Amino acid sequence: MKLIVSALAALFLLIGCQQNVNLEFNDVSIQDQEGNVLVSSSDFEEASIQEGQNRVLVNVNFKNSDTPKEMTENHLHEKVYIYLGDEKIASPTIRKVIDRDSMQIAGDYTREEAEQFVDFINQ
């Protein structure tokens, strides 16, 4: 009986771990205030997490170096919205024009959300 209970517990643990690994969304995006997609996962080259000043920062590299410049020029001093699928995880304000192929996103997302964002980009 102990063997069966142990086997079932191990099976439930394994199933639970597999569910946490599977991301429940099919895209990440940055949208403007009207809901227009400014960039999506296909625009990103890679992403990483950086700890900074009591918050989690996400560093992203773009495939095309013109993408962040265009987005930040067109939406300077505006809020943009970061989505994991349909779930809004952050709403940072663009503070300066980015004229290189990478940028840092500081937002009100959790570490877990940042990790999901990064994992999805890097898959």
Side-chain angles (χ1 to χ4, degrees):
M1 185 67 164
K2 282 185 180 181
L3 181 60
I4 293 172
V5 171
S6 295
L8 286 173
L11 181 61
F12 288 133
L13 179 61
L14 182 60
I15 290 170
C17 289
Q18 287 176 343
Q19 288 174 345
N20 289 336
V21 171
N22 293 332
L23 303 176
E24 297 178 11
F25 54 92
N26 59 5
D27 197 17
V28 298
S29 63
I30 300 177
Q31 300 179 18
D32 66 13
Q33 295 176 352
E34 288 78 37
N36 300 311
V37 175
L38 305 175
V39 295
S40 67
S41 56
S42 62
D43 296 306
F44 297 113
E45 181 78 31
E46 66 180 343
S48 62
I49 292 178
Q50 178 182 338
E51 298 286 337
Q53 299 177 351
N54 300 323
R55 61 183 171 175
V56 178
L57 306 171
V58 174
N59 296 314
V60 292
N61 292 340
F62 290 86
K63 292 178 182 175
N64 181 339
S65 61
D66 293 334
T67 302
K69 183 176 182 180
E70 182 180 310
M71 179 182 67
T72 56
E73 276 182 339
N74 293 336
H75 299 280
L76 188 61
H77 305 297
E78 294 178 12
K79 273 192 179 208
V80 292
Y81 303 92
I82 301 171
Y83 285 86
L84 296 177
D86 294 332
E87 180 184 347
K88 180 174 59 171
I89 64 165
S91 52
T93 300
I94 296 177
R95 302 214 183 277
K96 64 181 182 176
V97 174
I98 306 294
D99 61 355
R100 58 187 184 282
D101 67 349
S102 64
M103 64 187 244
Q104 190 173 72
I105 302 170
D108 47 352
Y109 45 79
T110 66
R111 179 162 183 85
E112 181 182 19
E113 290 167 335
E115 288 171 353
Q116 288 177 326
F117 184 100
V118 168
D119 289 346
F120 190 82
I121 297 300
N122 293 335
Q123 67 182 347

PDB file of all heavy atoms in Angstrom, residues 8-39:
ATOM      1  N   LEU A   8       1.790   7.087  -6.597  1.00  0.00           N
ATOM      2  CA  LEU A   8       0.783   8.083  -6.961  1.00  0.00           C
ATOM      3  C   LEU A   8       1.254   9.499  -6.626  1.00  0.00           C
ATOM      4  O   LEU A   8       1.058  10.436  -7.401  1.00  0.00           O
ATOM      5  CB  LEU A   8      -0.547   7.790  -6.275  1.00  0.00           C
ATOM      6  CG  LEU A   8      -1.340   6.615  -6.833  1.00  0.00           C
ATOM      7  CD1 LEU A   8      -2.554   6.331  -5.958  1.00  0.00           C
ATOM      8  CD2 LEU A   8      -1.778   6.895  -8.263  1.00  0.00           C
ATOM      9  N   ALA A   9       1.881   9.655  -5.474  1.00  0.00           N
ATOM     10  CA  ALA A   9       2.394  10.972  -5.082  1.00  0.00           C
ATOM     11  C   ALA A   9       3.458  11.440  -6.065  1.00  0.00           C
ATOM     12  O   ALA A   9       3.467  12.609  -6.485  1.00  0.00           O
ATOM     13  CB  ALA A   9       2.950  10.925  -3.664  1.00  0.00           C
ATOM     14  N   ALA A  10       4.345  10.542  -6.467  1.00  0.00           N
ATOM     15  CA  ALA A  10       5.383  10.891  -7.440  1.00  0.00           C
ATOM     16  C   ALA A  10       4.765  11.253  -8.785  1.00  0.00           C
ATOM     17  O   ALA A  10       5.189  12.198  -9.447  1.00  0.00           O
ATOM     18  CB  ALA A  10       6.371   9.743  -7.591  1.00  0.00           C
ATOM     19  N   LEU A  11       3.742  10.526  -9.190  1.00  0.00           N
ATOM     20  CA  LEU A  11       3.062  10.802 -10.448  1.00  0.00           C
ATOM     21  C   LEU A  11       2.388  12.173 -10.420  1.00  0.00           C
ATOM     22  O   LEU A  11       2.509  12.955 -11.362  1.00  0.00           O
ATOM     23  CB  LEU A  11       2.024   9.712 -10.736  1.00  0.00           C
ATOM     24  CG  LEU A  11       1.232   9.855 -12.035  1.00  0.00           C
ATOM     25  CD1 LEU A  11       2.171   9.826 -13.235  1.00  0.00           C
ATOM     26  CD2 LEU A  11       0.200   8.754 -12.132  1.00  0.00           C
ATOM     27  N   PHE A  12       1.688  12.489  -9.323  1.00  0.00           N
ATOM     28  CA  PHE A  12       1.041  13.798  -9.206  1.00  0.00           C
ATOM     29  C   PHE A  12       2.072  14.926  -9.204  1.00  0.00           C
ATOM     30  O   PHE A  12       1.862  15.977  -9.802  1.00  0.00           O
ATOM     31  CB  PHE A  12       0.170  13.878  -7.944  1.00  0.00           C
ATOM     32  CG  PHE A  12      -1.085  13.058  -8.031  1.00  0.00           C
ATOM     33  CD1 PHE A  12      -1.456  12.238  -6.991  1.00  0.00           C
ATOM     34  CD2 PHE A  12      -1.890  13.099  -9.154  1.00  0.00           C
ATOM     35  CE1 PHE A  12      -2.608  11.477  -7.061  1.00  0.00           C
ATOM     36  CE2 PHE A  12      -3.052  12.343  -9.239  1.00  0.00           C
ATOM     37  CZ  PHE A  12      -3.411  11.523  -8.186  1.00  0.00           C
ATOM     38  N   LEU A  13       3.200  14.709  -8.529  1.00  0.00           N
ATOM     39  CA  LEU A  13       4.261  15.711  -8.497  1.00  0.00           C
ATOM     40  C   LEU A  13       4.813  15.926  -9.897  1.00  0.00           C
ATOM     41  O   LEU A  13       4.999  17.056 -10.342  1.00  0.00           O
ATOM     42  CB  LEU A  13       5.373  15.285  -7.535  1.00  0.00           C
ATOM     43  CG  LEU A  13       6.557  16.228  -7.408  1.00  0.00           C
ATOM     44  CD1 LEU A  13       6.087  17.586  -6.888  1.00  0.00           C
ATOM     45  CD2 LEU A  13       7.596  15.649  -6.490  1.00  0.00           C
ATOM     46  N   LEU A  14       5.046  14.839 -10.627  1.00  0.00           N
ATOM     47  CA  LEU A  14       5.564  14.929 -11.982  1.00  0.00           C
ATOM     48  C   LEU A  14       4.578  15.646 -12.900  1.00  0.00           C
ATOM     49  O   LEU A  14       4.945  16.524 -13.666  1.00  0.00           O
ATOM     50  CB  LEU A  14       5.871  13.529 -12.525  1.00  0.00           C
ATOM     51  CG  LEU A  14       6.471  13.457 -13.925  1.00  0.00           C
ATOM     52  CD1 LEU A  14       7.786  14.212 -13.968  1.00  0.00           C
ATOM     53  CD2 LEU A  14       6.675  12.007 -14.317  1.00  0.00           C
ATOM     54  N   ILE A  15       3.311  15.321 -12.799  1.00  0.00           N
ATOM     55  CA  ILE A  15       2.285  15.982 -13.611  1.00  0.00           C
ATOM     56  C   ILE A  15       2.218  17.460 -13.269  1.00  0.00           C
ATOM     57  O   ILE A  15       2.161  18.315 -14.142  1.00  0.00           O
ATOM     58  CB  ILE A  15       0.909  15.299 -13.428  1.00  0.00           C
ATOM     59  CG1 ILE A  15       0.927  13.915 -14.076  1.00  0.00           C
ATOM     60  CG2 ILE A  15      -0.205  16.154 -14.020  1.00  0.00           C
ATOM     61  CD1 ILE A  15      -0.284  13.074 -13.743  1.00  0.00           C
ATOM     62  N   GLY A  16       2.279  17.793 -11.998  1.00  0.00           N
ATOM     63  CA  GLY A  16       2.253  19.196 -11.574  1.00  0.00           C
ATOM     64  C   GLY A  16       3.445  19.958 -12.108  1.00  0.00           C
ATOM     65  O   GLY A  16       3.306  21.085 -12.580  1.00  0.00           O
ATOM     66  N   CYS A  17       4.620  19.358 -12.097  1.00  0.00           N
ATOM     67  CA  CYS A  17       5.808  20.025 -12.623  1.00  0.00           C
ATOM     68  C   CYS A  17       5.691  20.245 -14.123  1.00  0.00           C
ATOM     69  O   CYS A  17       6.068  21.289 -14.632  1.00  0.00           O
ATOM     70  CB  CYS A  17       7.065  19.204 -12.323  1.00  0.00           C
ATOM     71  SG  CYS A  17       7.520  19.211 -10.590  1.00  0.00           S
ATOM     72  N   GLN A  18       5.150  19.272 -14.835  1.00  0.00           N
ATOM     73  CA  GLN A  18       4.994  19.424 -16.270  1.00  0.00           C
ATOM     74  C   GLN A  18       4.019  20.547 -16.585  1.00  0.00           C
ATOM     75  O   GLN A  18       4.221  21.294 -17.522  1.00  0.00           O
ATOM     76  CB  GLN A  18       4.497  18.120 -16.891  1.00  0.00           C
ATOM     77  CG  GLN A  18       5.558  17.053 -16.930  1.00  0.00           C
ATOM     78  CD  GLN A  18       5.026  15.737 -17.457  1.00  0.00           C
ATOM     79  OE1 GLN A  18       3.818  15.524 -17.494  1.00  0.00           O
ATOM     80  NE2 GLN A  18       5.922  14.865 -17.853  1.00  0.00           N
ATOM     81  N   GLN A  19       2.975  20.717 -15.801  1.00  0.00           N
ATOM     82  CA  GLN A  19       2.015  21.775 -16.066  1.00  0.00           C
ATOM     83  C   GLN A  19       2.640  23.140 -15.852  1.00  0.00           C
ATOM     84  O   GLN A  19       2.323  24.083 -16.553  1.00  0.00           O
ATOM     85  CB  GLN A  19       0.784  21.619 -15.172  1.00  0.00           C
ATOM     86  CG  GLN A  19      -0.081  20.449 -15.598  1.00  0.00           C
ATOM     87  CD  GLN A  19      -1.221  20.212 -14.638  1.00  0.00           C
ATOM     88  OE1 GLN A  19      -1.234  20.723 -13.527  1.00  0.00           O
ATOM     89  NE2 GLN A  19      -2.178  19.405 -15.059  1.00  0.00           N
ATOM     90  N   ASN A  20       3.545  23.275 -14.888  1.00  0.00           N
ATOM     91  CA  ASN A  20       4.186  24.559 -14.647  1.00  0.00           C
ATOM     92  C   ASN A  20       5.158  24.932 -15.756  1.00  0.00           C
ATOM     93  O   ASN A  20       5.395  26.099 -15.997  1.00  0.00           O
ATOM     94  CB  ASN A  20       4.919  24.546 -13.302  1.00  0.00           C
ATOM     95  CG  ASN A  20       3.945  24.546 -12.150  1.00  0.00           C
ATOM     96  OD1 ASN A  20       2.811  24.974 -12.283  1.00  0.00           O
ATOM     97  ND2 ASN A  20       4.386  24.055 -11.007  1.00  0.00           N
ATOM     98  N   VAL A  21       5.741  23.925 -16.435  1.00  0.00           N
ATOM     99  CA  VAL A  21       6.690  24.195 -17.498  1.00  0.00           C
ATOM    100  C   VAL A  21       5.972  24.682 -18.755  1.00  0.00           C
ATOM    101  O   VAL A  21       6.458  25.527 -19.474  1.00  0.00           O
ATOM    102  CB  VAL A  21       7.533  22.928 -17.799  1.00  0.00           C
ATOM    103  CG1 VAL A  21       8.364  23.111 -19.045  1.00  0.00           C
ATOM    104  CG2 VAL A  21       8.410  22.599 -16.609  1.00  0.00           C
ATOM    105  N   ASN A  22       4.805  24.138 -19.035  1.00  0.00           N
ATOM    106  CA  ASN A  22       4.063  24.529 -20.229  1.00  0.00           C
ATOM    107  C   ASN A  22       3.511  25.934 -20.058  1.00  0.00           C
ATOM    108  O   ASN A  22       2.774  26.215 -19.133  1.00  0.00           O
ATOM    109  CB  ASN A  22       2.903  23.559 -20.489  1.00  0.00           C
ATOM    110  CG  ASN A  22       3.397  22.180 -20.854  1.00  0.00           C
ATOM    111  OD1 ASN A  22       4.478  22.032 -21.402  1.00  0.00           O
ATOM    112  ND2 ASN A  22       2.615  21.178 -20.532  1.00  0.00           N
ATOM    113  N   LEU A  23       3.878  26.817 -20.986  1.00  0.00           N
ATOM    114  CA  LEU A  23       3.383  28.175 -20.926  1.00  0.00           C
ATOM    115  C   LEU A  23       1.983  28.203 -21.509  1.00  0.00           C
ATOM    116  O   LEU A  23       1.703  27.571 -22.513  1.00  0.00           O
ATOM    117  CB  LEU A  23       4.328  29.099 -21.703  1.00  0.00           C
ATOM    118  CG  LEU A  23       5.774  29.069 -21.223  1.00  0.00           C
ATOM    119  CD1 LEU A  23       6.630  29.944 -22.113  1.00  0.00           C
ATOM    120  CD2 LEU A  23       5.889  29.504 -19.785  1.00  0.00           C
ATOM    121  N   GLU A  24       1.096  28.942 -20.892  1.00  0.00           N
ATOM    122  CA  GLU A  24      -0.305  28.938 -21.275  1.00  0.00           C
ATOM    123  C   GLU A  24      -0.643  30.080 -22.232  1.00  0.00           C
ATOM    124  O   GLU A  24      -1.771  30.513 -22.301  1.00  0.00           O
ATOM    125  CB  GLU A  24      -1.173  29.014 -20.024  1.00  0.00           C
ATOM    126  CG  GLU A  24      -1.009  27.820 -19.120  1.00  0.00           C
ATOM    127  CD  GLU A  24      -1.846  27.938 -17.866  1.00  0.00           C
ATOM    128  OE1 GLU A  24      -2.697  28.828 -17.787  1.00  0.00           O
ATOM    129  OE2 GLU A  24      -1.632  27.121 -16.957  1.00  0.00           O
ATOM    130  N   PHE A  25       0.311  30.572 -22.975  1.00  0.00           N
ATOM    131  CA  PHE A  25       0.063  31.639 -23.929  1.00  0.00           C
ATOM    132  C   PHE A  25       0.865  31.341 -25.192  1.00  0.00           C
ATOM    133  O   PHE A  25       1.794  30.550 -25.175  1.00  0.00           O
ATOM    134  CB  PHE A  25       0.425  33.008 -23.338  1.00  0.00           C
ATOM    135  CG  PHE A  25       1.823  33.086 -22.809  1.00  0.00           C
ATOM    136  CD1 PHE A  25       2.852  33.524 -23.616  1.00  0.00           C
ATOM    137  CD2 PHE A  25       2.109  32.726 -21.507  1.00  0.00           C
ATOM    138  CE1 PHE A  25       4.149  33.586 -23.131  1.00  0.00           C
ATOM    139  CE2 PHE A  25       3.402  32.791 -21.012  1.00  0.00           C
ATOM    140  CZ  PHE A  25       4.425  33.221 -21.831  1.00  0.00           C
ATOM    141  N   ASN A  26       0.501  31.963 -26.285  1.00  0.00           N
ATOM    142  CA  ASN A  26       1.176  31.672 -27.541  1.00  0.00           C
ATOM    143  C   ASN A  26       1.909  32.866 -28.135  1.00  0.00           C
ATOM    144  O   ASN A  26       2.384  32.786 -29.252  1.00  0.00           O
ATOM    145  CB  ASN A  26       0.172  31.113 -28.559  1.00  0.00           C
ATOM    146  CG  ASN A  26      -0.968  32.076 -28.829  1.00  0.00           C
ATOM    147  OD1 ASN A  26      -0.974  33.195 -28.330  1.00  0.00           O
ATOM    148  ND2 ASN A  26      -1.931  31.650 -29.607  1.00  0.00           N
ATOM    149  N   ASP A  27       2.003  33.960 -27.403  1.00  0.00           N
ATOM    150  CA  ASP A  27       2.722  35.121 -27.899  1.00  0.00           C
ATOM    151  C   ASP A  27       3.003  36.079 -26.749  1.00  0.00           C
ATOM    152  O   ASP A  27       2.318  36.054 -25.734  1.00  0.00           O
ATOM    153  CB  ASP A  27       1.906  35.842 -28.974  1.00  0.00           C
ATOM    154  CG  ASP A  27       2.742  36.793 -29.824  1.00  0.00           C
ATOM    155  OD1 ASP A  27       3.986  36.686 -29.814  1.00  0.00           O
ATOM    156  OD2 ASP A  27       2.157  37.638 -30.522  1.00  0.00           O
ATOM    157  N   VAL A  28       4.013  36.881 -26.925  1.00  0.00           N
ATOM    158  CA  VAL A  28       4.241  38.022 -26.043  1.00  0.00           C
ATOM    159  C   VAL A  28       4.223  39.252 -26.940  1.00  0.00           C
ATOM    160  O   VAL A  28       4.606  39.180 -28.110  1.00  0.00           O
ATOM    161  CB  VAL A  28       5.584  37.929 -25.265  1.00  0.00           C
ATOM    162  CG1 VAL A  28       5.599  36.717 -24.377  1.00  0.00           C
ATOM    163  CG2 VAL A  28       6.772  37.908 -26.185  1.00  0.00           C
ATOM    164  N   SER A  29       3.747  40.333 -26.405  1.00  0.00           N
ATOM    165  CA  SER A  29       3.663  41.529 -27.242  1.00  0.00           C
ATOM    166  C   SER A  29       3.761  42.784 -26.388  1.00  0.00           C
ATOM    167  O   SER A  29       3.537  42.760 -25.184  1.00  0.00           O
ATOM    168  CB  SER A  29       2.356  41.551 -28.033  1.00  0.00           C
ATOM    169  OG  SER A  29       1.243  41.618 -27.173  1.00  0.00           O
ATOM    170  N   ILE A  30       4.096  43.865 -27.071  1.00  0.00           N
ATOM    171  CA  ILE A  30       4.024  45.202 -26.491  1.00  0.00           C
ATOM    172  C   ILE A  30       3.004  45.953 -27.328  1.00  0.00           C
ATOM    173  O   ILE A  30       3.106  45.994 -28.566  1.00  0.00           O
ATOM    174  CB  ILE A  30       5.390  45.907 -26.502  1.00  0.00           C
ATOM    175  CG1 ILE A  30       6.410  45.100 -25.690  1.00  0.00           C
ATOM    176  CG2 ILE A  30       5.258  47.332 -25.960  1.00  0.00           C
ATOM    177  CD1 ILE A  30       7.820  45.676 -25.704  1.00  0.00           C
ATOM    178  N   GLN A  31       2.009  46.529 -26.653  1.00  0.00           N
ATOM    179  CA  GLN A  31       0.911  47.201 -27.344  1.00  0.00           C
ATOM    180  C   GLN A  31       0.803  48.645 -26.893  1.00  0.00           C
ATOM    181  O   GLN A  31       1.205  48.991 -25.782  1.00  0.00           O
ATOM    182  CB  GLN A  31      -0.407  46.471 -27.070  1.00  0.00           C
ATOM    183  CG  GLN A  31      -0.391  45.033 -27.537  1.00  0.00           C
ATOM    184  CD  GLN A  31      -1.688  44.303 -27.245  1.00  0.00           C
ATOM    185  OE1 GLN A  31      -2.718  44.906 -26.992  1.00  0.00           O
ATOM    186  NE2 GLN A  31      -1.633  42.978 -27.288  1.00  0.00           N
ATOM    187  N   ASP A  32       0.226  49.470 -27.754  1.00  0.00           N
ATOM    188  CA  ASP A  32      -0.002  50.864 -27.381  1.00  0.00           C
ATOM    189  C   ASP A  32      -1.326  50.991 -26.626  1.00  0.00           C
ATOM    190  O   ASP A  32      -2.006  49.995 -26.366  1.00  0.00           O
ATOM    191  CB  ASP A  32       0.044  51.789 -28.608  1.00  0.00           C
ATOM    192  CG  ASP A  32      -1.078  51.553 -29.609  1.00  0.00           C
ATOM    193  OD1 ASP A  32      -2.065  50.845 -29.300  1.00  0.00           O
ATOM    194  OD2 ASP A  32      -0.979  52.105 -30.725  1.00  0.00           O
ATOM    195  N   GLN A  33      -1.698  52.211 -26.297  1.00  0.00           N
ATOM    196  CA  GLN A  33      -2.891  52.459 -25.493  1.00  0.00           C
ATOM    197  C   GLN A  33      -4.182  52.070 -26.203  1.00  0.00           C
ATOM    198  O   GLN A  33      -5.185  51.802 -25.556  1.00  0.00           O
ATOM    199  CB  GLN A  33      -2.931  53.933 -25.070  1.00  0.00           C
ATOM    200  CG  GLN A  33      -1.801  54.293 -24.152  1.00  0.00           C
ATOM    201  CD  GLN A  33      -1.749  55.768 -23.794  1.00  0.00           C
ATOM    202  OE1 GLN A  33      -2.469  56.588 -24.333  1.00  0.00           O
ATOM    203  NE2 GLN A  33      -0.874  56.102 -22.857  1.00  0.00           N
ATOM    204  N   GLU A  34      -4.157  52.018 -27.529  1.00  0.00           N
ATOM    205  CA  GLU A  34      -5.346  51.627 -28.294  1.00  0.00           C
ATOM    206  C   GLU A  34      -5.408  50.124 -28.536  1.00  0.00           C
ATOM    207  O   GLU A  34      -6.333  49.631 -29.183  1.00  0.00           O
ATOM    208  CB  GLU A  34      -5.392  52.366 -29.644  1.00  0.00           C
ATOM    209  CG  GLU A  34      -5.724  53.848 -29.525  1.00  0.00           C
ATOM    210  CD  GLU A  34      -4.526  54.677 -29.081  1.00  0.00           C
ATOM    211  OE1 GLU A  34      -3.381  54.379 -29.492  1.00  0.00           O
ATOM    212  OE2 GLU A  34      -4.726  55.618 -28.285  1.00  0.00           O
ATOM    213  N   GLY A  35      -4.394  49.395 -28.080  1.00  0.00           N
ATOM    214  CA  GLY A  35      -4.367  47.947 -28.269  1.00  0.00           C
ATOM    215  C   GLY A  35      -3.684  47.498 -29.543  1.00  0.00           C
ATOM    216  O   GLY A  35      -3.710  46.310 -29.878  1.00  0.00           O
ATOM    217  N   ASN A  36      -3.038  48.413 -30.250  1.00  0.00           N
ATOM    218  CA  ASN A  36      -2.289  48.048 -31.451  1.00  0.00           C
ATOM    219  C   ASN A  36      -0.983  47.373 -31.045  1.00  0.00           C
ATOM    220  O   ASN A  36      -0.268  47.871 -30.163  1.00  0.00           O
ATOM    221  CB  ASN A  36      -1.971  49.282 -32.300  1.00  0.00           C
ATOM    222  CG  ASN A  36      -3.223  49.989 -32.758  1.00  0.00           C
ATOM    223  OD1 ASN A  36      -4.145  49.372 -33.285  1.00  0.00           O
ATOM    224  ND2 ASN A  36      -3.280  51.299 -32.542  1.00  0.00           N
ATOM    225  N   VAL A  37      -0.659  46.266 -31.680  1.00  0.00           N
ATOM    226  CA  VAL A  37       0.579  45.552 -31.377  1.00  0.00           C
ATOM    227  C   VAL A  37       1.745  46.303 -32.003  1.00  0.00           C
ATOM    228  O   VAL A  37       1.804  46.488 -33.214  1.00  0.00           O
ATOM    229  CB  VAL A  37       0.521  44.094 -31.886  1.00  0.00           C
ATOM    230  CG1 VAL A  37       1.853  43.405 -31.667  1.00  0.00           C
ATOM    231  CG2 VAL A  37      -0.606  43.336 -31.201  1.00  0.00           C
ATOM    232  N   LEU A  38       2.666  46.753 -31.150  1.00  0.00           N
ATOM    233  CA  LEU A  38       3.846  47.474 -31.614  1.00  0.00           C
ATOM    234  C   LEU A  38       4.960  46.504 -31.957  1.00  0.00           C
ATOM    235  O   LEU A  38       5.653  46.677 -32.959  1.00  0.00           O
ATOM    236  CB  LEU A  38       4.310  48.462 -30.543  1.00  0.00           C
ATOM    237  CG  LEU A  38       3.250  49.462 -30.067  1.00  0.00           C
ATOM    238  CD1 LEU A  38       3.787  50.299 -28.926  1.00  0.00           C
ATOM    239  CD2 LEU A  38       2.776  50.325 -31.228  1.00  0.00           C
ATOM    240  N   VAL A  39       5.160  45.517 -31.106  1.00  0.00           N
ATOM    241  CA  VAL A  39       6.118  44.432 -31.352  1.00  0.00           C
ATOM    242  C   VAL A  39       5.550  43.154 -30.752  1.00  0.00           C
ATOM    243  O   VAL A  39       4.774  43.200 -29.789  1.00  0.00           O
ATOM    244  CB  VAL A  39       7.525  44.719 -30.771  1.00  0.00           C
ATOM    245  CG1 VAL A  39       8.188  45.892 -31.458  1.00  0.00           C
ATOM    246  CG2 VAL A  39       7.492  44.937 -29.285  1.00  0.00           C
TER     247      VAL A  39
END
